[in-house]
């Protein structure tokens, strides 16, 4: 996947091709899996942000919130700030948690790929491709929310809602894939999260 700016919204998905899988690591202990689950804890914070944006969209639809409320919710969401400030989703948390950022892209993934096997490298490559999709959806959601700042008409609202729904679907799928495929490897390979 190269540039995604011209890709139709329906084409911005992580369901392209078959996702590589990481075989179970027989040497993985419960301690290793607990280390890997730290990534899931970071993801839960981001999913809370996504949920808050969905609530604001529902409130706008009910006439209880404005386009500015949506724009504020999007720009204040931790994951959106991370993309703007650090160029990736995990951003500030990752920097705080063990210099773990520009993390997934510049620390976690390269460490896993460098220490792992071919299966893990294939998973990491796919995750990096999926990050591009998430990033493009965040950019589009920010644009859609800005378009609603001064005028909430049905067409603009429907566009924002559609982008949000696509982002929500993609993020849930991506996080689930990332968590299941990396859980054991993070601990076994001793990569800090």
């Amino acid at each position: 996947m190269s540039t995604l700016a011209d890709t139709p919204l329906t084409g911005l998905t992580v369901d392209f091709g078959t996702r590589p899988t990481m075989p179970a690591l027989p040497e993985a202990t419960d301690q290793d899996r607990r280390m890997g689950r730290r990534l899931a804890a970071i993801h839960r914070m981001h999913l809370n942000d996504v949920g808050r944006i969905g609530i604001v969209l529902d409130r706008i639809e009910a006439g209880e919130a404005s386009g500015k409320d949506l724009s504020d919710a999007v720009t204040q969401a931790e994951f959106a700030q991370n993309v703007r400030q650090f160029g990736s989703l995990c951003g500030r948390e990752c920097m705080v948690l063990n210099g773990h950022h520009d993390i997934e892209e510049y620390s976690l993934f390269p460490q896993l790929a460098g220490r792992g096997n071919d299966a893990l490298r294939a998973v990491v490559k796919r995750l990096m491709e999926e990050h591009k999709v998430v990033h493009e959806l965040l950019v589009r959601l920010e644009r859609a929310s800005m378009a609603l700042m001064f005028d909430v008409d049905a067409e603009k609202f429907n566009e924002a809602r559609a982008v949000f729904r696509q982002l929500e679907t993609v993020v849930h799928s991506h996080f689930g894939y990332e968590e299941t495929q990396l859980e054991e490897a993070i601990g076994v390979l001793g990569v800090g999260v």
Side-chain angles (χ1 to χ4, degrees), residues 9-115:
L9 183 60
T10 55
L12 291 174
T13 180
V14 292
D15 297 325
F16 55 89
T18 303
R19 282 175 162 160
T21 57
M22 180 64 194
L25 298 172
E27 67 273 28
T29 65
D30 287 340
Q31 172 77 16
D32 293 326
R33 289 181 199 91
R34 277 194 297 279
M35 285 180 62
R37 287 186 206 118
R38 290 179 186 169
L39 185 60
I42 292 170
H43 289 167
R44 297 293 86 59
M45 290 185 292
H46 296 315
L47 291 173
N48 286 337
D49 280 343
V50 170
R52 281 190 286 278
I53 292 168
I55 289 168
V56 173
L57 279 164
D58 291 344
R59 290 185 59 229
I60 290 171
E61 192 169 38
E64 300 168 356
S66 69
K68 182 177 180 333
D69 294 326
L70 177 61
S71 181
D72 289 348
V74 171
T75 58
Q76 291 170 8
E78 191 74 28
F79 63 84
Q81 289 178 23
N82 290 338
V83 167
R84 279 191 307 278
Q85 292 174 5
F86 304 108
S88 75
L89 294 175
C90 56
R92 193 173 347 166
E93 291 90 353
C94 301
M95 291 189 81
V96 169
L97 295 171
N98 225 2
H100 171 127
H101 197 267
D102 261 36
I103 186 86
E104 289 182 352
E105 297 286 328
Y106 302 107
S107 178
L108 179 65
F109 289 169
Q111 287 182 63
L112 288 170
R115 297 178 193 172

